[in-house]
């Protein structure tokens, strides 16, 4: 059976095929999410839910049911509680973030060409690269963190230099170590700009996360206040408050995760446009596709 023809849009409605400014990257990310809600927010909702539930299970197994006082130590999600459960939650977040970024890189790359893809198409293209994504995410996530703890500057450098690892791995079909080197070569000539764009996106993501998750935290506090519960009674109320916290983390993650992944994908495309003339290649490909597309009257 012949594969369905991709859905095309007018290029004026797509991400511009030219080196992108910071505003273009941020606006293009939001535009891509708006145009592909099922393949961005839908995938994020599924993966973030799995991550939050697994983190919750680990936390309950290792530390038991948290008290009301511990909720104050949870900034925005259950994975921030700390201890062994917090470490596992951080690792789960890194794995989920890597897989989700890899999926959304596919969506963004197709959106640059004016095409839309479904969540099923994205999964078919990414499922064989999940192992490589996890390995690359572990290296690109852990080593910069260690560098930040031991020496500040090496950690900051690695955090920016390896920012493009996942897009390179997915779109170029290379292995995790080759993707790390590829990201370094793309980012290094403009390392400060890459660091600034990624930092700005993380700050915006934190703000979005805060604005979305805080109402759920407030709702939990209202439940505690209204029932007069304390640390020693009413475990049902504790479960309700915990559920609100987890739901808040899920809702926040399904919005912020696509945003952060989309910024990395567009930053990768921007660096290739600036360093390798990718925009010229994409324009030529677009003209070839347009030439094969049937005219409105039906003529080839």
């Amino acid at each position: 059976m012949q594969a369905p023809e991709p859905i095309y849009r007018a290029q004026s409605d797509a991400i511009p095929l030219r080196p992108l400014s910071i505003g273009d990257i941020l606006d293009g990310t939001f535009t891509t999410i708006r145009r592909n809600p099922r393949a961005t927010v839908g995938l994020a909702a599924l993966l973030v839910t799995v991550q939050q539930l697994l983190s919750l299970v680990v936390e309950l197994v290792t530390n038991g049911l948290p008290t009301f006082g511990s909720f104050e130590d949870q900034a925005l999600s259950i994975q921030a509680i700390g201890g062994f459960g917090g470490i596992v939650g951080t690792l789960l977040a890194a794995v989920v973030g890597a897989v989700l970024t890899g999926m959304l890189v596919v969506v963004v790359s197709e959106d640059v060409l004016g095409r839309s893809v479904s969540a099923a198409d994205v999964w078919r293209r990414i499922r064989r690269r999940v192992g490589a994504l996890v390995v690359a995410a572990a290296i690109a996530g852990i080593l910069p963190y260690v560098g930040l703890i031991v020496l500040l500057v090496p950690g900051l450098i690695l955090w920016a230099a390896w920012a493009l690892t996942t897009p390179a791995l997915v779109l170029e079909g290379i292995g995790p170590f080759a993707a790390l080197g590829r990201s370094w070569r793309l980012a290094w000539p403009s390392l400060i700009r890459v660091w600034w764009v990624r930092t700005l996106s993380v700050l915006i993501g934190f703000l979005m996360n805060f604005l979305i998750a805080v109402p759920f935290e407030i709702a939990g506090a209202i439940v505690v206040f209204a029932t007069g519960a304390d640390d020693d009674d009413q475990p049902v109320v504790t479960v309700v408050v915990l559920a609100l916290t987890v739901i808040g983390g899920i809702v926040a993650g399904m919005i912020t995760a696509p945003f952060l992944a989309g910024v990395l994908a567009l930053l990768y495309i921007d660096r290739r446009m600036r360093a390798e003339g990718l925009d010229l290649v994409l324009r030529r490909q677009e003209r070839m596709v347009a030439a094969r597309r049937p005219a409105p009257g039906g003529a080839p």
Side-chain angles (χ1 to χ4, degrees), residues 34-258:
R34 176 177 54 82
R35 282 196 293 244
N36 305 273
R38 292 184 179 179
T40 54
V41 177
L43 286 174
L46 177 62
L47 292 180
V48 170
T49 299
V50 172
Q51 176 239 318
Q52 288 281 331
L53 293 179
L54 288 177
S55 299
L56 175 61
V57 170
V58 171
E59 177 61 28
L60 293 178
V61 170
T62 55
N63 295 333
L65 194 64
T67 63
F68 296 129
S70 68
F71 287 116
E72 298 175 358
D73 299 327
Q74 300 178 47
L76 292 172
S77 73
I78 195 64
Q79 72 186 40
I81 293 177
F84 177 75
I87 295 174
V88 174
T90 301
L91 293 176
L92 285 172
V95 172
V96 170
V99 176
L100 182 59
T101 300
M103 290 180 170
L104 297 181
V105 161
V106 175
V107 179
V108 173
S109 64
E110 292 295 323
D111 193 80
V112 169
L113 298 175
R115 298 197 293 254
S116 298
V117 292
S118 66
D121 293 333
V122 172
W123 173 245
R124 279 194 293 269
R125 292 178 58 173
I126 205 69
R127 60 186 178 185
R128 296 182 179 178
R129 309 304 322 274
V130 171
L133 279 171
V134 172
V135 172
I139 298 174
I142 294 176
L143 290 186
Y145 181 74
V146 173
L148 285 172
I149 295 177
V150 180
L151 293 171
L152 181 62
V153 174
L156 294 176
I157 291 175
L158 290 177
W159 189 70
W162 287 345
L164 311 179
T165 299
T166 297
L169 186 147
V170 171
L171 297 181
E172 300 184 30
I174 55 181
F177 296 101
L180 291 168
R182 174 65 166 153
S183 175
W184 185 285
R185 291 189 297 272
L186 283 174
W188 186 257
S190 187
L191 190 67
I192 294 178
R193 183 174 184 272
V194 172
W195 185 90
W196 166 242
V197 173
R198 190 177 189 188
T199 300
L200 180 61
S201 69
V202 169
L203 292 176
I204 294 175
F206 279 152
L207 179 60
M208 294 166 56
N209 207 56
F210 178 81
L211 294 176
I212 295 172
V214 160
F216 292 90
E217 300 282 345
I218 294 175
I222 292 174
V223 170
V224 174
F225 179 78
T227 57
D230 55 33
D231 292 349
D232 300 323
D233 60 8
Q234 300 193 32
V236 174
V237 177
T238 304
V239 172
V240 171
V241 175
L242 183 61
L244 287 172
T245 303
V246 173
I247 292 173
I250 293 173
V251 175
M254 61 188 285
I255 302 299
T256 57

Side-chain angles (χ1 to χ4, degrees), residues 269-286:
I269 292 173
D270 171 68
R271 284 302 307 144
R272 288 200 61 185
M273 287 179 177
R274 294 176 185 271
E276 301 173 350
L278 179 64
D279 51 329
L280 303 178
V281 176
L282 293 178
R283 285 194 188 119
R284 184 163 60 248
Q285 181 178 358
E286 183 192 21

